[in-house]
Coordinates of all heavy atoms in Angstrom, one line a residue:
M1 N -5.2 27.2 4.0 CA -5.1 26.0 4.8 C -4.1 26.2 6.0 O -3.1 26.7 5.9 CB -4.5 24.9 3.9 CG -5.3 24.6 2.7 SD -6.9 24.0 3.0 CE -6.5 22.2 3.0
T2 N -4.6 25.8 7.1 CA -3.7 26.0 8.3 C -3.6 24.7 9.1 O -4.4 23.9 9.2 CB -4.4 27.0 9.3 OG1 -5.7 26.6 9.6 CG2 -4.5 28.4 8.6
G3 N -2.3 24.5 9.4 CA -2.0 23.7 10.6 C -2.0 22.2 10.4 O -0.9 21.6 10.6
D4 N -3.0 21.6 9.9 CA -3.1 20.1 10.0 C -2.2 19.4 9.0 O -2.6 19.3 7.8 CB -4.6 19.7 9.8 CG -4.7 18.2 10.2 OD1 -3.8 17.6 10.8 OD2 -5.8 17.6 9.8
E5 N -1.1 18.9 9.5 CA -0.2 18.3 8.6 C -0.1 16.7 8.8 O 0.9 16.1 8.6 CB 1.2 18.9 8.8 CG 1.3 20.4 8.6 CD 1.7 20.6 7.1 OE1 2.5 19.9 6.5 OE2 1.1 21.6 6.6
T6 N -1.1 16.2 9.4 CA -1.1 14.8 9.8 C -1.0 13.8 8.6 O -0.6 12.8 8.8 CB -2.3 14.4 10.7 OG1 -3.4 14.8 10.1 CG2 -2.1 15.2 12.0
S7 N -1.5 14.3 7.5 CA -1.5 13.4 6.4 C -0.3 13.7 5.4 O -0.3 14.5 4.6 CB -2.8 13.5 5.5 OG -3.8 12.7 6.1
S8 N 0.8 12.9 5.7 CA 1.9 13.1 4.8 C 1.6 12.4 3.5 O 0.8 11.6 3.4 CB 3.1 12.5 5.5 OG 3.0 11.1 5.4
P9 N 2.4 12.8 2.5 CA 2.2 12.1 1.2 C 2.4 10.6 1.3 O 1.7 9.9 0.6 CB 3.4 12.7 0.3 CG 3.6 14.1 0.9 CD 3.3 13.9 2.4
L10 N 3.3 10.2 2.1 CA 3.5 8.8 2.3 C 2.3 8.1 2.9 O 1.9 7.0 2.5 CB 4.7 8.5 3.2 CG 5.3 7.1 3.3 CD1 5.8 6.8 1.9 CD2 6.3 7.0 4.3
E11 N 1.7 8.7 3.9 CA 0.5 8.2 4.5 C -0.7 8.1 3.5 O -1.5 7.2 3.4 CB 0.0 9.0 5.7 CG 1.0 8.7 6.9 CD 0.8 9.7 8.0 OE1 0.3 10.8 7.8 OE2 1.1 9.3 9.1
K12 N -0.7 9.2 2.7 CA -1.8 9.2 1.7 C -1.6 8.0 0.6 O -2.5 7.4 0.2 CB -1.8 10.5 0.9 CG -2.4 11.6 1.7 CD -2.4 12.9 0.9 CE -2.9 14.0 1.8 NZ -2.8 15.3 1.0
L13 N -0.3 7.8 0.3 CA 0.0 6.7 -0.6 C -0.4 5.4 0.0 O -1.0 4.5 -0.6 CB 1.4 6.8 -1.0 CG 1.8 6.2 -2.3 CD1 0.9 6.8 -3.4 CD2 3.3 6.7 -2.6
R14 N 0.0 5.2 1.3 CA -0.3 4.0 1.9 C -1.8 3.8 2.1 O -2.3 2.7 1.9 CB 0.3 4.0 3.4 CG 0.1 2.6 3.9 CD 0.2 2.6 5.5 NE -0.4 1.3 5.8 CZ 0.2 0.4 6.6 NH1 1.4 0.7 7.1 NH2 -0.4 -0.7 6.8
D15 N -2.5 4.9 2.3 CA -4.0 4.8 2.3 C -4.5 4.4 1.0 O -5.4 3.6 0.9 CB -4.5 6.2 2.7 CG -5.8 6.2 3.4 OD1 -6.0 5.3 4.3 OD2 -6.7 6.9 3.0
Y16 N -3.9 4.9 0.0 CA -4.3 4.5 -1.4 C -4.1 3.1 -1.6 O -5.0 2.3 -2.1 CB -3.5 5.4 -2.4 CG -3.7 4.9 -3.8 CD1 -4.9 5.2 -4.5 CD2 -2.7 4.1 -4.5 CE1 -5.1 4.8 -5.8 CE2 -2.9 3.7 -5.7 CZ -4.1 4.0 -6.4 OH -4.2 3.6 -7.7
Y17 N -3.0 2.5 -1.3 CA -2.8 1.1 -1.4 C -3.7 0.3 -0.6 O -4.2 -0.8 -1.1 CB -1.3 0.8 -1.1 CG -0.3 1.3 -2.0 CD1 1.0 1.7 -1.6 CD2 -0.5 1.3 -3.4 CE1 1.9 2.2 -2.5 CE2 0.4 1.7 -4.3 CZ 1.6 2.2 -3.8 OH 2.5 2.7 -4.7
D18 N -3.9 0.7 0.6 CA -4.8 -0.1 1.5 C -6.2 -0.2 1.0 O -6.9 -1.1 1.2 CB -4.8 0.5 2.9 CG -3.7 0.0 3.8 OD1 -3.0 -1.0 3.3 OD2 -3.5 0.5 4.8
H19 N -6.7 0.9 0.3 CA -8.0 0.9 -0.1 C -8.3 0.7 -1.6 O -9.4 0.3 -1.9 CB -8.7 2.2 0.4 CG -8.7 2.4 1.8 ND1 -7.8 3.0 2.6 CD2 -9.5 1.8 2.7 CE1 -8.1 2.9 3.9 NE2 -9.1 2.2 4.0
E20 N -7.4 1.0 -2.4 CA -7.7 1.1 -3.8 C -6.9 0.0 -4.6 O -7.2 -0.3 -5.8 CB -7.3 2.4 -4.4 CG -8.0 3.6 -3.7 CD -9.5 3.6 -3.9 OE1 -9.9 3.0 -4.9 OE2 -10.2 4.1 -3.0
E21 N -5.9 -0.6 -4.0 CA -5.1 -1.5 -4.8 C -5.1 -2.9 -4.3 O -4.1 -3.6 -4.2 CB -3.6 -1.0 -4.9 CG -3.5 0.0 -6.0 CD -2.2 -0.1 -6.8 OE1 -1.6 -1.2 -6.8 OE2 -1.8 0.9 -7.3
L22 N -6.2 -3.4 -3.9 CA -6.3 -4.7 -3.3 C -7.0 -5.7 -4.3 O -7.4 -6.8 -3.9 CB -7.0 -4.7 -2.0 CG -6.2 -4.0 -0.9 CD1 -7.0 -3.8 0.4 CD2 -5.0 -4.8 -0.5
V23 N -7.2 -5.2 -5.5 CA -7.7 -6.1 -6.5 C -6.5 -6.8 -7.2 O -5.7 -6.1 -7.8 CB -8.6 -5.3 -7.5 CG1 -9.1 -6.3 -8.6 CG2 -9.7 -4.7 -6.8
C24 N -6.5 -8.1 -7.2 CA -5.4 -8.8 -7.8 C -5.5 -8.7 -9.3 O -6.5 -9.0 -10.0 CB -5.6 -10.3 -7.5 SG -4.3 -11.4 -8.2
P25 N -4.4 -8.3 -10.0 CA -4.4 -8.1 -11.4 C -4.4 -9.5 -12.1 O -4.6 -9.6 -13.3 CB -3.1 -7.4 -11.7 CG -2.2 -7.7 -10.5 CD -3.1 -7.9 -9.4
D26 N -4.0 -10.5 -11.4 CA -3.9 -11.9 -12.0 C -5.3 -12.5 -12.1 O -5.7 -13.1 -13.1 CB -3.0 -12.7 -11.3 CG -1.5 -12.3 -11.6 OD1 -1.3 -11.5 -12.4 OD2 -0.6 -13.0 -11.0
C27 N -6.0 -12.5 -11.0 CA -7.2 -13.3 -11.0 C -8.5 -12.4 -10.7 O -9.6 -12.9 -10.8 CB -7.2 -14.4 -9.9 SG -7.3 -13.8 -8.2
G28 N -8.2 -11.1 -10.4 CA -9.3 -10.2 -10.3 C -10.0 -10.2 -8.9 O -11.0 -9.6 -8.6
Y29 N -9.4 -11.0 -8.0 CA -10.0 -11.1 -6.6 C -9.7 -9.9 -5.9 O -8.6 -9.3 -5.8 CB -9.3 -12.3 -5.9 CG -9.8 -12.5 -4.5 CD1 -11.0 -13.2 -4.3 CD2 -9.1 -11.9 -3.4 CE1 -11.5 -13.4 -3.0 CE2 -9.6 -12.1 -2.1 CZ -10.7 -12.9 -1.9 OH -11.2 -13.0 -0.6
E30 N -10.8 -9.3 -5.2 CA -10.6 -8.1 -4.4 C -10.5 -8.5 -2.9 O -11.5 -9.1 -2.3 CB -11.8 -7.2 -4.6 CG -11.7 -5.9 -3.8 CD -12.8 -5.0 -4.1 OE1 -13.7 -5.2 -4.9 OE2 -12.8 -3.9 -3.5
D31 N -9.3 -8.3 -2.4 CA -9.1 -8.7 -1.0 C -9.5 -7.6 -0.1 O -8.7 -6.8 0.5 CB -7.6 -8.9 -0.9 CG -7.2 -9.5 0.5 OD1 -8.2 -9.9 1.3 OD2 -6.0 -9.6 0.8
E32 N -10.8 -7.5 0.2 CA -11.4 -6.4 0.9 C -10.9 -6.3 2.3 O -10.8 -5.2 2.9 CB -12.9 -6.5 0.9 CG -13.5 -6.2 -0.4 CD -15.1 -6.1 -0.3 OE1 -15.6 -5.8 0.8 OE2 -15.8 -6.4 -1.3
R33 N -10.6 -7.4 2.9 CA -10.1 -7.3 4.2 C -8.6 -7.3 4.4 O -8.1 -7.4 5.5 CB -10.7 -8.5 5.1 CG -12.2 -8.5 5.1 CD -12.7 -9.5 6.1 NE -14.2 -9.4 6.2 CZ -14.9 -10.1 7.0 NH1 -14.3 -11.0 7.8 NH2 -16.2 -9.9 7.0
G34 N -8.0 -7.4 3.2 CA -6.5 -7.5 3.3 C -5.9 -6.1 3.4 O -6.6 -5.1 3.4
S35 N -4.6 -6.1 3.5 CA -3.9 -4.8 3.5 C -2.5 -5.1 3.1 O -2.1 -6.2 3.1 CB -4.0 -4.2 4.9 OG -3.2 -5.0 5.8
W36 N -1.9 -4.0 2.7 CA -0.4 -4.1 2.4 C 0.4 -4.2 3.6 O 0.2 -3.4 4.6 CB 0.0 -2.9 1.6 CG -0.7 -2.9 0.3 CD1 -2.0 -2.4 0.0 CD2 -0.1 -3.3 -1.0 NE1 -2.2 -2.6 -1.4 CE2 -1.1 -3.1 -2.0 CE3 1.2 -3.8 -1.3 CZ2 -0.8 -3.4 -3.3 CZ3 1.4 -4.2 -2.7 CH2 0.4 -3.9 -3.6
D37 N 1.3 -5.1 3.6 CA 2.3 -5.2 4.7 C 3.4 -4.2 4.3 O 3.8 -4.1 3.1 CB 2.9 -6.6 4.8 CG 1.9 -7.5 5.3 OD1 1.1 -7.2 6.2 OD2 1.9 -8.7 4.9
S38 N 3.9 -3.5 5.3 CA 5.0 -2.6 5.0 C 6.2 -2.8 5.8 O 6.1 -3.1 7.0 CB 4.5 -1.1 5.2 OG 4.1 -0.9 6.5
E39 N 7.3 -2.7 5.2 CA 8.6 -2.8 5.9 C 9.4 -1.7 5.5 O 9.4 -1.2 4.3 CB 9.3 -4.1 5.6 CG 8.8 -5.3 6.2 CD 9.6 -6.5 5.9 OE1 10.8 -6.4 5.4 OE2 9.1 -7.6 6.1
T40 N 10.1 -1.1 6.5 CA 11.0 0.0 6.1 C 12.4 -0.2 6.7 O 12.5 -0.7 7.8 CB 10.4 1.4 6.5 OG1 11.3 2.4 6.1 CG2 10.3 1.4 8.0
D41 N 13.4 0.3 6.0 CA 14.7 0.2 6.6 C 15.2 1.7 6.8 O 16.4 1.9 7.0 CB 15.7 -0.5 5.7 CG 15.9 0.2 4.3 OD1 15.4 1.3 4.2 OD2 16.7 -0.3 3.5
G42 N 14.3 2.6 6.7 CA 14.6 4.0 6.9 C 14.8 4.7 5.6 O 14.6 6.0 5.6
G43 N 15.1 4.1 4.6 CA 15.4 4.8 3.3 C 14.3 4.5 2.3 O 13.9 5.4 1.5
V44 N 13.8 3.3 2.3 CA 12.7 2.9 1.5 C 11.7 2.1 2.3 O 11.9 1.6 3.3 CB 13.1 2.0 0.3 CG1 14.2 2.8 -0.6 CG2 13.7 0.7 0.8
V45 N 10.4 2.2 1.8 CA 9.4 1.4 2.4 C 8.9 0.4 1.3 O 8.7 0.7 0.2 CB 8.1 2.3 2.7 CG1 7.1 1.4 3.4 CG2 8.6 3.4 3.7
E46 N 8.9 -0.9 1.7 CA 8.4 -1.9 0.8 C 7.1 -2.4 1.2 O 6.8 -2.7 2.3 CB 9.4 -3.1 0.9 CG 10.6 -3.0 0.0 CD 11.3 -4.3 -0.1 OE1 10.8 -5.4 0.4 OE2 12.4 -4.3 -0.6
Y47 N 6.1 -2.3 0.3 CA 4.8 -2.8 0.5 C 4.7 -4.1 -0.2 O 5.0 -4.2 -1.4 CB 3.8 -1.8 0.0 CG 3.7 -0.5 0.8 CD1 4.3 0.6 0.4 CD2 3.0 -0.5 2.0 CE1 4.3 1.8 1.1 CE2 2.9 0.7 2.7 CZ 3.5 1.8 2.3 OH 3.5 3.0 2.9
T48 N 4.1 -5.1 0.5 CA 3.8 -6.3 -0.2 C 2.4 -6.7 0.1 O 1.9 -6.5 1.2 CB 4.8 -7.4 0.2 OG1 4.7 -7.6 1.6 CG2 6.2 -7.1 -0.2
H49 N 1.8 -7.4 -0.9 CA 0.5 -7.9 -0.7 C 0.4 -9.2 -1.5 O 0.7 -9.4 -2.6 CB -0.6 -6.9 -1.3 CG -2.0 -7.5 -1.2 ND1 -2.6 -8.1 -2.3 CD2 -2.8 -7.7 -0.2 CE1 -3.8 -8.6 -1.9 NE2 -3.9 -8.3 -0.6
E50 N -0.1 -10.3 -0.7 CA -0.2 -11.6 -1.4 C -1.7 -11.8 -1.6 O -2.5 -11.8 -0.6 CB 0.4 -12.6 -0.5 CG 0.2 -14.0 -1.1 CD 1.0 -15.1 -0.3 OE1 1.8 -14.7 0.6 OE2 0.6 -16.3 -0.5
C51 N -2.1 -12.2 -2.7 CA -3.5 -12.5 -3.0 C -3.9 -13.8 -2.4 O -3.2 -14.8 -2.6 CB -3.6 -12.6 -4.6 SG -5.3 -13.1 -5.0
P52 N -4.9 -13.8 -1.6 CA -5.3 -15.0 -0.8 C -6.0 -16.0 -1.8 O -6.2 -17.1 -1.4 CB -6.3 -14.5 0.2 CG -6.8 -13.2 -0.4 CD -5.7 -12.6 -1.2
E53 N -6.3 -15.5 -2.9 CA -7.0 -16.4 -3.9 C -6.0 -17.2 -4.8 O -6.1 -18.4 -4.9 CB -7.9 -15.6 -4.8 CG -8.8 -16.4 -5.6 CD -10.0 -17.0 -4.9 OE1 -10.1 -16.8 -3.7 OE2 -10.8 -17.7 -5.5
C54 N -5.1 -16.5 -5.3 CA -4.2 -17.2 -6.2 C -2.7 -17.2 -5.8 O -1.8 -17.8 -6.4 CB -4.3 -16.7 -7.7 SG -3.6 -15.0 -7.9
G55 N -2.4 -16.4 -4.7 CA -1.1 -16.4 -4.2 C -0.1 -15.4 -4.9 O 1.0 -15.4 -4.6
A56 N -0.6 -14.7 -5.9 CA 0.2 -13.7 -6.5 C 0.7 -12.6 -5.5 O -0.1 -12.2 -4.8 CB -0.5 -13.1 -7.7
V57 N 2.0 -12.3 -5.6 CA 2.5 -11.4 -4.6 C 2.8 -10.1 -5.5 O 3.5 -10.2 -6.5 CB 3.8 -11.9 -4.0 CG1 4.4 -10.8 -3.1 CG2 3.4 -13.1 -3.1
R58 N 2.4 -9.0 -5.0 CA 2.7 -7.7 -5.6 C 3.6 -6.9 -4.6 O 3.4 -7.0 -3.4 CB 1.5 -7.0 -6.0 CG 0.9 -7.5 -7.3 CD -0.3 -6.6 -7.6 NE -1.3 -6.7 -6.6 CZ -2.2 -5.8 -6.4 NH1 -2.2 -4.6 -7.0 NH2 -3.1 -5.9 -5.5
E59 N 4.4 -6.1 -5.1 CA 5.3 -5.3 -4.3 C 5.3 -3.9 -4.8 O 5.2 -3.6 -6.0 CB 6.7 -5.8 -4.3 CG 6.9 -7.1 -3.7 CD 8.4 -7.6 -3.7 OE1 9.2 -6.8 -4.2 OE2 8.6 -8.6 -3.2
H60 N 5.4 -3.0 -3.9 CA 5.7 -1.6 -4.2 C 6.8 -1.2 -3.3 O 6.9 -1.4 -2.2 CB 4.5 -0.6 -3.9 CG 3.3 -0.7 -4.9 ND1 3.5 -0.2 -6.2 CD2 2.1 -1.2 -4.8 CE1 2.3 -0.4 -6.8 NE2 1.5 -1.0 -6.0
T61 N 7.7 -0.5 -3.9 CA 8.8 0.1 -3.1 C 8.8 1.6 -3.2 O 8.8 2.2 -4.3 CB 10.2 -0.4 -3.6 OG1 10.2 -1.8 -3.6 CG2 11.3 0.1 -2.8
L62 N 8.7 2.2 -2.1 CA 8.7 3.7 -2.1 C 9.9 4.2 -1.4 O 10.3 3.7 -0.4 CB 7.5 4.1 -1.3 CG 6.1 3.7 -1.8 CD1 5.1 4.2 -0.8 CD2 5.8 4.2 -3.1
E63 N 10.5 5.2 -2.0 CA 11.5 5.9 -1.4 C 11.0 6.9 -0.4 O 10.0 7.6 -0.7 CB 12.4 6.7 -2.4 CG 13.2 5.7 -3.2 CD 14.2 6.3 -4.1 OE1 14.6 7.5 -3.8 OE2 14.6 5.8 -5.1
V64 N 11.5 7.0 0.8 CA 11.0 7.9 1.8 C 11.8 9.2 1.7 O 13.0 9.3 2.0 CB 11.2 7.3 3.2 CG1 10.7 8.3 4.2 CG2 10.6 6.0 3.3
G65 N 11.2 10.2 1.2 CA 11.7 11.5 1.1 C 11.7 12.2 2.5 O 11.1 11.7 3.4
D66 N 12.3 13.3 2.6 CA 12.2 14.0 3.8 C 11.3 15.3 3.7 O 11.4 16.2 4.4 CB 13.6 14.5 4.3 CG 14.4 15.2 3.2 OD1 13.8 15.5 2.2 OD2 15.6 15.5 3.4
E67 N 10.3 15.2 2.8 CA 9.4 16.2 2.7 C 8.2 15.9 3.7 O 7.8 14.8 3.8 CB 8.8 16.2 1.3 CG 9.8 16.7 0.3 CD 9.2 16.9 -1.1 OE1 8.3 16.1 -1.5 OE2 9.6 17.8 -1.8
Ligands
LIG1 ZN1 -5.1 -13.3 -7.4

């Protein structure tokens, strides 16, 4: 493998959340057009997603490594 380092683990994880984790565990609604909002303070990234159907909010907090 050479060269292409554009997909960091963090980006892959975010991609995963954006595409695979938009099904609400409470009501089962799949928010196909939704996405996770992300906020970062430089040390951690907080992802939040609110279900448009039932309003349940989920959060993921990721620590940002320097890898
Ligand atoms: Zn829901």
Side-chain angles (χ1 to χ4, degrees):
M1 303 295 270
T2 55
D4 188 16
E5 300 269 323
T6 54
S7 277
S8 72
L10 194 64
E11 287 170 333
K12 285 181 183 173
L13 207 49
R14 189 201 160 125
D15 206 48
Y16 171 77
Y17 287 143
D18 272 351
H19 293 100
E20 304 296 334
E21 276 218 25
L22 290 171
V23 178
C24 177
D26 283 355
C27 72
Y29 179 83
E30 183 174 359
D31 187 9
E32 287 189 27
R33 298 191 177 183
S35 65
W36 292 81
D37 292 323
S38 61
E39 282 185 16
T40 181
D41 66 1
V44 296
V45 182
E46 276 190 7
Y47 291 98
T48 58
H49 175 258
E50 181 176 341
C51 175
E53 189 75 3
C54 73
V57 176
R58 285 184 294 154
E59 294 183 0
H60 282 291
T61 302
L62 301 177
E63 291 188 21
V64 181
D66 50 8
E67 293 187 321

